[in-house]
Amino acid sequence: MLKQLLLVAITASFIAVGCGESSTGSGKPKLVYIAKNTGNPYFDPLIQGFKDAAAEQGCEVVTVAPATADATSQLPLIEDQIQQGVGAIALSPNSTEALNRVLDEAMAKGIAVITVDSDLTNNEKSRTVAVKTADPQSVGEGQIELLGSLIGYSGKFAILSATTDAPNQNEWIGIMKKTLETNPKYKNMQLVETAYGNDEPQKSLTEAEALLTKYPDLKGIVAPTTVGVAAAAQAVETAKKADTVFVTGLGTPNQMRRFIQNGTVKAFALWSPYDEGYLAGQVAAQLAKKSLTIKSGTKIQAGKLGEREVREKSVIITGPPTVFTKENIDQFHF
Ligand code: RAM
């Protein structure tokens, strides 16, 4: 009995804390940010940026995420937030298809929907606006150029991606493939396989190891995911193949520092996830407060980031990526 009472008390206090963030009755607009999955340090600075912007705008924030980045894993979380009556739902969607019904429902209820980092490619009508990292075209082209420069623009390489549904990785990979096909500079580079590590460290490592075994003459792995690139570096380090297999992609300086310092990886890229989250927080807050209308050409005042313009298909770009090497990595701590 005592045990039961204790459980009830714990549950009640949980609910109270949860509501404390989302429905204190403070009158402040409420925002939620839903990441792709838990346990990926990429989203930590993004969440911090989102919270900072929301606080500057006088909004309350809740952040939640599913355990895995499966296509449908965010569905119950979105449904729950609609019930809670938030003013804006910001999310990094795990699918371009699976979430549209609930997102449409949210929008029909007057809730602003902001995609962050990944977008509902070809289903843009199911969100109000997208806050993207860098321009996708330059990300895709940049990944091929970075890999090419490392492998002397010739030889076999593989892509290690996130999930098969991941909207941002799929968009970048599409551009990477197009770049390979259309730019003669890359005609001697051969993509042998695209593998999927689901943005899970262990699965990504297993996939990277399998690529090394399957293609003994592989010259490169490019992983446009922070989880994948760290796992690929780990696999190459363990296999002692850093002299023959070049790993690059999109990584966080904190996860890649060791591999840069010990020479396993020569260069990789990323933008600022903090700035991306901050921009999304500014946009979500202003939409929840109804002080912003999204139209192509609209200028957004994004606090300490300055101004950003809404592009075609209601897309806002955060800023360009940085290439990290031994020379500059110590200046970055995220
Ligand atoms: C992973 C996630 C994220 C992506 C980065 C580059 O952390 O898939 O969505 O933007 O990699």
Side-chain angles (χ1 to χ4, degrees):
M1 181 62 184
L2 190 64
K3 209 170 156 192
Q4 262 171 359
L5 269 179
L6 214 64
L7 252 181
V8 170
I10 291 170
T11 317
S13 76
F14 252 117
I15 292 169
V17 173
C19 291
E21 283 194 273
S22 65
S23 59
T24 47
S26 65
K28 289 181 175 179
K30 292 150 205 138
L31 320 175
V32 63
Y33 170 65
I34 307 174
K36 280 182 169 181
N37 59 344
T38 51
N40 178 353
Y42 173 85
F43 292 105
D44 297 344
L46 198 160
I47 287 168
Q48 192 55 51
F50 192 90
K51 285 184 173 169
D52 288 353
E56 282 172 25
Q57 287 282 341
C59 291
E60 291 180 5
V61 176
V62 185
T63 63
V64 288
T68 68
D70 298 352
T72 56
S73 61
Q74 292 163 319
L75 271 178
L77 302 180
I78 300 168
E79 274 161 355
D80 182 47
Q81 291 301 322
I82 296 174
Q83 292 292 320
Q84 306 258 344
V86 290
I89 297 175
L91 81 163
S92 299
N94 284 322
S95 164
T96 59
E97 313 275 333
L99 311 172
N100 301 343
R101 187 188 50 78
V102 280
L103 294 178
D104 288 346
E105 187 190 320
M107 287 178 47
K109 293 202 159 126
I111 301 170
V113 173
I114 301 98
T115 53
V116 189
D117 194 60
S118 60
D119 194 11
L120 306 173
T121 321
N122 299 325
N123 277 313
E124 286 86 1
K125 59 162 190 23
S126 295
R127 47 78 167 155
T128 314
V129 63
V131 173
K132 291 197 181 183
T133 55
D135 173 44
Q137 188 69 29
S138 69
V139 175
E141 288 173 1
Q143 290 287 280
I144 290 298
E145 173 54 30
L146 195 51
L147 175 73
S149 68
L150 293 168
I151 65 172
Y153 301 99
S154 148
K156 291 183 182 166
F157 74 95
I159 296 175
L160 178 60
S161 188
T163 67
T164 51
D165 293 291
N168 47 346
Q169 274 85 14
N170 284 349
E171 184 173 24
W172 299 325
I173 290 170
I175 294 161
M176 287 161 76
K177 287 181 175 166
K178 191 116 212 190
T179 305
L180 276 177
E181 279 163 25
T182 53
N183 189 336
K185 186 175 185 187
Y186 308 117
K187 66 178 188 312
N188 295 326
M189 288 165 59
Q190 187 195 349
L191 173 61
V192 290
E193 185 173 330
T194 302
Y196 298 90
N198 295 350
D199 268 354
E200 289 166 16
Q202 188 53 51
K203 165 106 170 110
S204 302
L205 183 62
T206 309
E207 292 293 328
E209 286 167 348
L211 289 171
L212 295 179
T213 313
K214 198 165 162 191
Y215 307 99
D217 54 348
L218 200 67
K219 281 185 76 180
I221 299 177
V222 55
T225 138
T226 57
V227 181
V229 76
Q234 178 68 64
V236 166
E237 182 186 55
T238 307
K240 300 197 180 2
K241 286 194 168 174
D243 289 342
T244 50
V245 184
F246 292 84
V247 171
T248 192
L250 300 170
T252 68
N254 284 353
Q255 286 177 286
M256 298 301 285
R257 195 175 321 277
R258 187 169 75 81
F259 301 114
I260 287 280
Q261 279 164 352
N262 72 16
T264 304
V265 176
K266 303 277 179 278
F268 65 96
L270 198 69
W271 44 81
S272 163
Y274 177 91
D275 285 356
E276 190 185 18
Y278 180 86
L279 179 56
Q282 281 285 345
V283 172
Q286 294 179 34
L287 284 170
K289 287 158 77 174
K290 314 248 182 267
S291 60
L292 176 67
T293 316
I294 300 291
K295 267 196 254 98
S296 182
T298 303
K299 302 251 196 305
I300 293 175
Q301 301 310 321
K304 59 190 171 196
L305 286 182
E307 198 177 82
R308 289 289 185 283
E309 190 173 322
V310 180
R311 300 187 179 190
E312 244 181 277
K313 293 192 182 170
S314 300
V315 169
I316 309 167
I317 300 291
T318 309
T322 301
V323 174
F324 304 100
T325 62
K326 216 173 213 162
E327 276 62 55
N328 68 358
I329 192 150
D330 286 339
Q331 298 160 28
F332 298 93
H333 301 279
F334 59 87

